[in-house]
């Protein structure tokens, strides 16, 4: 018997491992494994979701026009150059399938976001990882890896799981050094958290070139990871490609309504950003004070470095006994590290207490 088989490269893909959500035998769990916003779902988005329940027999607006208008108004962008997706992952897949493929290869950095590797391999591309420097993308190393087969280059800025970012000047230098026919994808999932003045999420380069696209998400600061909404801003030709290949109803009625309401929630982003700017340094300083190395981060998470994989595993086990779920990042080539979301005030304190206790344990 021969059974149906996919293209061989499909079976080379390791399934995406998301942050865990439950712990056996624990009733109070602190889930700090997926970088979800610290304040839950915006109240207006919850109202919109309930209000839309009676509309769900209708197909959604496949062009998500009202949502694109709301995004455009919020960020000062032309709605005609925006496309929405079922999370930004959806849009990353579409880009890989449309611009990648056999003989059309993809660049990403060593510890870059794993979806690029999964979606690129699925498309049939070779996905080439370039070395980083201090867990930060290295523009020279990316440019050195360019060859005639490269068609796409992904850069998460800031990157997950490292938290590192490139300033605008470096991203512009990357763009200038890449061949014209390479589409540069700037994944700015954490843009709203960044406070450095030398940062640009990608809008400037999208406006200045015709081969750069920016992806964004409602899954992080906007608190809607469970609704699955992301968007991309790009040149008209790239938006045209998206609209040919994406599933026509890829954003549900509930998701569109919730996202519009989240954008309208007064002070929501400011509150999330202010909390993060206060508590990320507090978390980092407290961990540093007990002897844990913490990498600089521009996102709503920190990367704690325990020097060895065994030590990271022990720290993880200790946190789990206290109900804290962090994210193991061995799959990102960082087995000595754990990524920990900056949660609410209580959650941050629970992490600090658990890791302080771990570091002072006899034999630790
Ligand atoms: C969380 C995250 C995303 C968002 O994915 P969605 O599919 O929009 O939920 C994209 N890129 C990076 C780097 C992320 O960390």
């Amino acid at each position: 018997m021969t059974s149906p088989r996919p293209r061989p490269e499909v079976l080379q893909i390791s399934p995406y491992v998301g942050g865990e959500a439950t712990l056996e035998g624990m009733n109070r769990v602190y889930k700090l494994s997926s970088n979800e916003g610290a304040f839950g779902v915006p109240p207006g988005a919850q109202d919109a979701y309930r209000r839309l329940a009676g509309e769900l027999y209708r197909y959604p607006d496949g062009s998500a026009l009202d949502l694109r208008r709301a995004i455009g108004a919020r960020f000062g962008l032309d709605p005609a150059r925006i496309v929405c997706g079922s999370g930004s992952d959806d849009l990353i897949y579409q880009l890989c399938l449309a611009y990648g493929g056999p003989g059309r290869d993809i660049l990403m950095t060593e510890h870059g976001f794993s979806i690029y590797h999964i979606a690129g391999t699925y498309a049939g591309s070779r996905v080439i990882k370039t070395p980083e420097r201090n867990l930060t993308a290295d523009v020279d190393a990316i440019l050195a890896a360019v060859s005639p087969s490269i068609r796409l280059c992904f850069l998460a800025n800031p990157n997950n799981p490292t938290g590192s970012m490139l300033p605008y000047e470096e991203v512009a230098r990357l763009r200038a050094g890449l061949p014209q026919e390479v589409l540069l994808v700037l994944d700015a999932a954490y843009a709203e958290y960044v406070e450095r003045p030398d940062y640009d999420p990608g809008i400037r380069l999208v406006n200045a070139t015709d081969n750069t696209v920016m992806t964004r998400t409602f899954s992080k600061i906007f608190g809607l990871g469970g609704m699955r909404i992301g968007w991309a801003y790009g040149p008209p030709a790239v938006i045209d490609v998206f609209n040919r290949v994406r599933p026509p109803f890829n954003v549900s009625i509930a998701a569109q309504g919730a996202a519009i309401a989240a954008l309208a929630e007064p002070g929501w982003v400011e509150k999330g950003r202010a909390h993060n700017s206060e508590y990320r340094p507090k978390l980092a300083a407290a961990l540093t004070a007990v002897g844990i190395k913490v990498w600089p981060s521009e996102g709503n998470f920190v990367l704690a470095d325990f020097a060895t994989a065994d030590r990271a595993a022990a720290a993880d086990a200790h946190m789990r006994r206290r109900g804290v779920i962090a994210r193991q990042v061995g799959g990102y080539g960082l087995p000595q590290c754990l990524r920990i979301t900056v949660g609410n005030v209580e959650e941050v304190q629970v992490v600090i207490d658990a890791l302080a206790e771990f570091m002072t344990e006899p034999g630790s």
Side-chain angles (χ1 to χ4, degrees):
M1 283 261 292
T2 51
S3 46
R5 273 177 305 167
R7 285 179 283 116
E9 60 269 26
V10 169
L11 298 179
Q12 288 163 15
I13 297 171
S14 309
Y16 180 81
V17 181
E20 291 168 71
T22 55
L23 288 176
E24 194 76 43
M26 302 285 295
N27 38 34
R28 178 68 174 96
V29 166
Y30 303 89
K31 181 183 184 302
L32 300 171
S33 55
S34 301
N35 299 343
E36 295 141 344
F39 296 109
V41 183
Q46 298 187 35
D47 291 344
Y49 179 69
R50 280 188 285 265
R51 205 172 55 240
L52 287 163
E55 294 297 314
L56 297 180
Y57 71 112
R58 301 262 188 223
Y59 273 88
D61 167 13
S63 83
L65 181 59
D66 289 345
L67 175 54
R68 287 187 296 111
R69 283 189 175 141
I71 294 168
R74 171 61 165 262
F75 296 96
L77 305 174
D78 177 1
R81 295 180 56 178
I82 294 169
V83 65
C84 295
S86 175
S88 43
D89 289 353
D90 178 22
L91 300 168
I92 293 165
Y93 270 75
Q94 306 306 333
L95 287 171
C96 288
L97 290 166
Y99 289 90
R104 305 172 63 95
D105 298 332
I106 296 176
L107 292 178
M108 66 178 284
T109 67
E110 192 178 354
H111 306 294
F113 188 47
S114 63
I115 295 291
Y116 314 146
H117 189 265
I118 293 174
T121 306
Y122 178 32
S125 298
R126 275 190 315 151
V127 182
I128 296 156
K129 294 188 180 179
T130 63
E132 298 184 4
R133 207 188 264 261
N134 281 327
L135 302 195
T136 305
D138 178 345
V139 168
D140 296 306
I142 299 171
L143 294 178
V146 169
S147 73
S149 68
I150 300 296
R151 289 294 184 283
L152 275 160
C153 176
F154 281 97
L155 179 71
N157 199 30
N159 185 49
N160 167 18
T162 55
S164 59
M165 72 154 253
L166 290 186
Y168 171 76
E169 294 303 331
E170 276 294 278
V171 183
R173 189 166 76 82
L174 171 63
R175 175 65 274 176
L178 287 170
Q180 287 289 316
E181 67 273 17
V182 173
L183 182 65
L184 174 62
V185 184
L186 299 173
D187 176 347
Y190 300 95
E192 289 82 0
Y193 291 108
V194 182
E195 296 200 297
R196 270 176 49 175
D198 56 352
Y199 176 71
D200 185 88
I203 292 171
R204 262 182 90 178
L205 274 179
V206 173
N207 287 339
T209 66
D210 58 7
N211 47 16
T212 308
V213 60
M214 171 186 73
T215 61
R216 302 284 286 263
T217 185
F218 280 89
S219 300
K220 304 286 159 54
I221 206 164
F222 286 105
L224 290 174
M227 289 274 17
R228 313 305 304 127
I229 323 146
W231 55 281
Y233 174 62
V238 174
I239 300 303
D240 174 64
V241 166
F242 270 125
N243 285 328
R244 291 169 191 267
V245 300
R246 68 179 172 84
F249 303 107
N250 58 341
V251 187
S252 72
I253 284 189
Q256 292 183 34
I260 290 168
L263 286 169
E265 189 78 34
W268 185 260
V269 169
E270 292 76 7
K271 178 174 143 181
R273 184 189 298 131
H275 172 80
N276 198 57
S277 298
E278 180 177 355
Y279 283 89
R280 185 185 60 211
K282 278 189 179 163
L283 174 59
L287 301 193
T288 306
V290 296
I292 300 165
K293 172 172 175 156
V294 178
W295 289 86
S297 170
E298 306 299 329
N300 65 332
F301 56 91
V302 297
L303 188 69
D305 191 330
F306 296 88
T308 69
D310 283 351
R311 200 78 185 117
D316 193 34
H318 188 88
M319 283 197 285
R320 283 162 185 265
R321 286 192 290 274
R322 300 288 175 275
V324 177
I325 311 179
R327 179 71 149 81
Q328 298 165 3
V329 284
Y332 284 90
L334 298 166
Q336 75 280 21
C337 294
L338 296 172
R339 191 194 69 197
I340 308 167
T341 304
V342 179
N344 63 28
V345 175
E346 181 196 359
E347 290 167 333
V348 168
Q349 195 58 50
V350 170
V351 171
I352 291 171
D353 293 345
L355 285 176
E357 193 181 51
F358 170 72
M359 293 302 284
T360 52
E361 252 182 5
S364 85

